[in-house]
Amino acid sequence: MAGKYKVPRGTFDILPTESYKWQFITEKFRQVTKLFNYREIVTPIFESSEIFERSVGEDSDIVEKEMYKFEDKKGRSLALRPEGTAPVVRSFIENGLNLQPNASKLYYLGPMFRYDRPQKGRYRQFYQYGVENISSNDPFVDSEVISLAYLFLKNLGIADFELQINSIGCSNCTKDYDAVLNRYFTPFLSDLCSDCRKRLVKNPKRVLDCKVKTCKKIAAKAPSMLDYLDKNCNEHFSQVQDNLKLMDIPFVINPKIVRGLDYYSQTAFEFVVTSLGAQNTLIGGGRYDGLSEQLGGKQMPGVGFAGGFERLIQSMENEKLSFGGEQIPSIYLVALGNKARVYSLKLLMELRRNGISVDIDFDKISMNSQMKAANRSKADFALILGAEELTTQSIICKDLKNGEQEKINLKEVVNYLRIR
Ligand SMILES: [Zn+2]
Ligand SMILES: [Zn+2]
């Protein structure tokens, strides 16, 4: 029965047989953000494209190749958001949230868009959850943000992950380090991929992040950023580590984490699945003290993280974790004959008004087909209403688990079900 139209390439439908998994993760995320008193911020799906060009950087892959950029009817240049941090910081500045109490701890949920080559676990519309704390450069804030991500994964039951942390320093440390990297990579110039040759000029740190095999091999022996941190950044990084130890959060240091985006500084971290292969980052985050200024605000330090739903679901499926079960109604109503069918609408409404979930299949007529539907629905009870029951103002309640049934007064049905 496949129709003429298909979902756009690189996108997918979240079908009713899968959506409970998304709801489960959303709920768990909301629960953990509540524990930390983070509050939700919802920004538009599209923004002025300049926001991403100025923050993510015009020479980044995201802006250069992957952004869904378009003009509206008045010729405004807009973009479907490729990531969540820049819009949140834009809103933070615009609404003066720094002046409002308890407005610096934010979380968001929603779709992001990148025109990427579709492959397993990578989509053009993908769903992210994320947290931003815009207020402070204190390493205690970094540690708390990391602990939120950690607790989220733990609460989902995920066991197979590793926290990797790094410090990528500040612009003061980076100056020296960029020169060191340049000296290191230049002899290998002809072996680097074409992207990395450009990166070496504009942002040599990003060569460390390249996924191309030959680049990876060359980068493996590159000098470590950690040897070039200035005193301030060094102390910041050790404090983050001390705090994580204090909170019993295991971690390893991975000097190769640089984060693809230009506005990151100091702390960078990833939660990585150790058994998933190439696409193995569950959550990526870090500090972005320079972002607010780049978006025309005043200097405002921030730290946050984001992760994708798709990979999280994949991980949970790999570990055979529960998503809390599919949605099932408590009651299935079986109405036999026209009079019962008419009365069923009244009864359905009464049950639903009282907070009892109930389903019915109006297309099925016979007892047999309706009972089959009731069993397939996995409801706890079937209520069976026929002409005979109507005349005696009664209804049959059948326990679908053990098959036992009982005749009850139609007026008492809500009370009866509440007790059951
Ligand atoms: Zn520094
Ligand atoms: Zn490369």
Side-chain angles (χ1 to χ4, degrees), residues 181-192:
L181 279 184
N182 229 309
R183 238 174 291 140
Y184 172 80
F185 281 117
T186 304
F188 302 106
L189 200 61
S190 54
D191 299 321
L192 294 175

Side-chain angles (χ1 to χ4, degrees), residues 49-70 79-80 82-83 113-117 193-203 206 260-262:
S49 56
E50 213 183 310
I51 284 168
F52 303 108
E53 285 153 5
R54 297 201 50 163
S55 59
V56 182
E58 272 181 286
D59 60 324
S60 64
D61 282 358
I62 293 177
V63 168
E64 214 172 56
K65 302 176 193 163
E66 298 167 1
M67 200 156 73
Y68 276 94
K69 193 172 156 178
F70 60 97
L80 297 182
E83 60 95 38
F113 306 84
R114 287 185 202 176
Y115 193 82
D116 207 349
R117 196 159 46 87
C193 73
S194 61
D195 284 338
C196 280
R197 267 176 255 155
K198 274 186 253 166
R199 285 172 188 147
L200 198 52
V201 183
K202 285 182 174 163
N203 188 354
R206 290 196 45 225
L261 310 181
D262 286 347

Side-chain angles (χ1 to χ4, degrees), residues 249-320:
I249 299 176
F251 64 91
V252 296
I253 294 173
N254 176 3
K256 292 287 175 298
I257 301 175
V258 298
R259 314 293 311 143
L261 310 181
D262 286 347
Y263 49 70
Y264 282 100
S265 59
Q266 292 184 326
T267 313
F269 60 93
E270 287 183 359
F271 286 85
V272 171
V273 177
T274 31
S275 67
L276 256 191
Q279 294 296 327
N280 61 2
T281 306
L282 275 180
I283 291 177
R287 182 160 274 293
Y288 47 85
D289 290 353
L291 180 56
S292 169
E293 270 172 313
Q294 282 191 60
L295 289 178
K298 34 179 213 186
Q299 212 276 326
M300 234 160 348
V303 56
F305 67 77
F309 274 72
E310 296 81 1
R311 227 172 272 170
L312 200 54
I313 289 174
Q314 189 61 58
S315 270
M316 289 180 67
E317 283 171 349
N318 289 349
E319 294 195 35
K320 304 202 161 43

Side-chain angles (χ1 to χ4, degrees), residues 22-39:
W22 299 71
Q23 290 169 352
F24 181 75
I25 289 173
T26 302
E27 201 179 298
K28 288 282 178 186
F29 188 66
R30 289 192 198 281
Q31 277 170 10
V32 78
T33 49
K34 213 173 199 175
L35 294 174
F36 287 75
N37 197 28
Y38 276 64
R39 292 189 291 171

